[in-house]
Amino acid sequence: MFHVIAGGAGFIGINLVSRLIKENNRKHIYVIDNFSNSSKELFNDYINGHNVKLIECNIDNIEELDKIFENLYSPNEKIKLWHLAANSDIATGTSDQNIDFRDTFLTTFNLLETCKKFNIKSFFFASSSAIYGDHHSNIIKENTGPLMPKSNYGAMKLASEALCFSCYENFLDTLRIFRFPNVVGMPATHGVINDFFIKLNKNKNVLEVLGDGNQEKSYLHVTDLVDAMFFLSEITLHKGDNPIFNLGPNNDSVKVKWIAEEVVKYHQKKVKILYGEEKYGWIGDIPKFYYDTSKVTKYGWTPNLNSKESIKKAISEIGSTYKKSF
């Protein structure tokens, strides 16, 4: 048995690969990525020296995928396929719908076609809280509806989930759908904390915040996220249960205003924080959401860190990479 991680050279992918190395040190791990959200140098910094094969590929190109899996496929070898490939810039995807169709949905379609063609039975899909849309102050469970995404990214993730379920009914034996909250940690390539440090690196006196700062969401440290993903990949579902899981601290959230203040505190300089007037940061942003994660808790998993602890740890990790330029 070996693992294939599509989109495995990105922020979450690197952390997942590191965890799989730790748990499967004698098993092969293959990473497929086109490096649109990462780089070979970054990947090698974290993974160098381990039994991981890195394969450059455009996952939206089915012909490229076919060639890769023709070389990997063996009738006597089971494959676990992890799908993390997607557009990570939600705002850009909203302005150009082709981006998320190609990077978020077509990658899912092609990987599921690959599963069918090469008899891959286990598929683990990185979905998102963006599929829910705006449920205001209501606590969101896995069966919350209606599902009305505000972003094209969320729409393509939801379409991907639907396709996953049809394939689960047809030919997959194992399916897990992980609905991520906001994820923080290293190596950060985007996200609110990284954006704040980038801005302070350019202007040490003023921090401009997208939105009014009252956006309130759950945050999960990436180490907890990959721990949950690995845990759920190994368990057997209860009879009659579906494979969808909200991941995050249970009904726990923090405001962007608090994050900005914590970043400034770490920055240790006198900084004026300027907030916008809108309730959201960009078109497609959800100002507030509150996750119910009692389902994954009932299976036996809980995070080590709550939202505030996750943010503080990520600020220390990300801030240390910018410290010399302050």
Side-chain angles (χ1 to χ4, degrees):
M1 188 272 291
F2 60 86
H3 297 270
V4 177
I5 302 94
F11 160 48
I12 294 172
I14 285 173
N15 283 277
L16 177 60
V17 171
S18 298
R19 177 59 188 265
L20 293 175
I21 289 168
K22 179 181 176 182
E23 300 290 343
N24 302 272
N25 57 1
R26 289 185 297 275
K27 296 177 182 177
H28 292 291
I29 298 172
Y30 296 88
V31 170
I32 303 173
D33 209 298
N34 67 353
F35 305 104
S36 60
N37 299 316
S38 59
S39 68
K40 291 181 181 179
E41 292 74 23
L42 178 65
F43 183 83
N44 288 329
D45 283 346
Y46 279 81
I47 309 300
N48 194 30
H50 294 283
N51 188 26
V52 177
K53 183 172 178 57
L54 184 58
I55 304 169
E56 188 166 0
C57 172
N58 290 307
I59 300 170
D60 61 290
N61 187 316
I62 193 66
E63 288 80 13
E64 289 187 35
L65 273 180
D66 282 348
K67 290 178 182 177
I68 289 169
F69 279 89
E70 283 169 2
N71 291 325
L72 293 181
Y73 175 71
S74 169
N76 300 318
E77 195 83 64
K78 290 184 179 180
I79 298 174
K80 286 188 174 183
L81 181 52
W82 302 77
H83 176 23
L84 307 181
N87 165 45
S88 61
D89 189 339
I90 296 178
T92 301
T94 299
S95 61
D96 182 356
Q97 294 190 28
N98 290 304
I99 293 174
D100 274 303
F101 174 74
R102 180 191 68 228
D103 295 344
T104 306
F105 178 73
L106 191 56
T107 53
T108 308
F109 181 89
N110 286 349
L111 287 168
L112 287 166
E113 281 288 290
T114 299
C115 287
K116 187 175 183 179
K117 189 178 296 184
F118 293 97
N119 199 35
I120 299 170
K121 298 296 186 179
S122 298
F123 193 78
F124 307 107
F125 177 57
S127 190
S128 168
S129 60
I131 62 102
Y132 288 110
D134 192 351
H135 290 269
H136 307 289
S137 296
N138 295 318
I139 298 173
I140 299 172
K141 300 183 178 182
E142 286 85 353
N143 60 358
T144 294
L147 302 178
M148 298 188 295
K150 293 288 187 179
S151 63
N152 198 51
Y153 169 83
M156 293 298 98
K157 283 290 188 182
L158 182 56
S160 293
E161 284 194 15
L163 188 59
C164 287
F165 271 104
S166 68
C167 294
Y168 189 34
E169 182 68 24
N170 187 358
F171 59 84
L172 292 175
D173 291 338
T174 301
L175 174 67
R176 297 290 181 271
I177 293 176
F178 312 113
R179 289 178 176 168
F180 292 177
N182 289 274
V183 184
V184 295
M186 284 291 290
T189 56
H190 58 283
V192 61
I193 299 172
N194 195 55
D195 289 348
F196 284 166
F197 277 112
I198 290 173
K199 288 178 179 180
L200 286 174
N201 196 36
K202 293 179 180 177
N203 186 338
K204 297 176 175 59
N205 301 310
V206 176
L207 176 60
E208 294 186 5
V209 177
L210 298 177
D212 62 9
N214 289 310
Q215 304 98 302
E216 189 171 353
K217 304 176 184 181
S218 295
Y219 292 84
L220 186 65
H221 195 273
V222 67
T223 54
D224 276 336
L225 177 74
V226 298
D227 183 61
M229 293 168 68
F230 181 80
F231 172 84
L232 290 170
S233 75
E234 295 288 302
I235 66 169
T236 300
L237 295 181
H238 300 157
K239 186 176 181 180
D241 215 347
N242 70 53
I244 300 173
F245 290 89
N246 287 345
L247 300 181
N250 189 45
N251 190 21
D252 169 56
S253 59
V254 297
K255 291 186 177 182
V256 168
K257 185 178 293 185
W258 180 84
I259 299 173
E261 291 168 354
E262 288 295 311
V263 168
V264 168
K265 189 187 300 182
Y266 180 92
H267 184 59
Q268 295 181 337
K269 295 285 192 304
K270 189 175 181 180
V271 176
K272 183 176 182 180
I273 304 175
L274 297 179
Y275 296 99
E277 297 181 356
E278 300 288 350
K279 292 182 178 180
Y280 52 83
W282 58 86
I283 295 174
D285 182 29
I286 305 298
K288 294 184 180 182
F289 80 84
Y290 305 98
Y291 248 179
D292 183 310
T293 58
S294 58
K295 180 177 177 180
V296 68
T297 300
K298 288 176 182 177
Y299 275 91
W301 182 85
T302 54
N304 290 312
L305 304 174
N306 62 29
S307 287
K308 282 191 174 182
E309 291 166 339
S310 296
I311 291 293
K312 286 184 176 181
K313 181 176 181 179
I315 287 173
S316 177
E317 292 170 335
I318 298 169
S320 66
T321 67
Y322 289 95
K323 198 72 173 177
K324 292 179 182 178
S325 60
F326 290 168

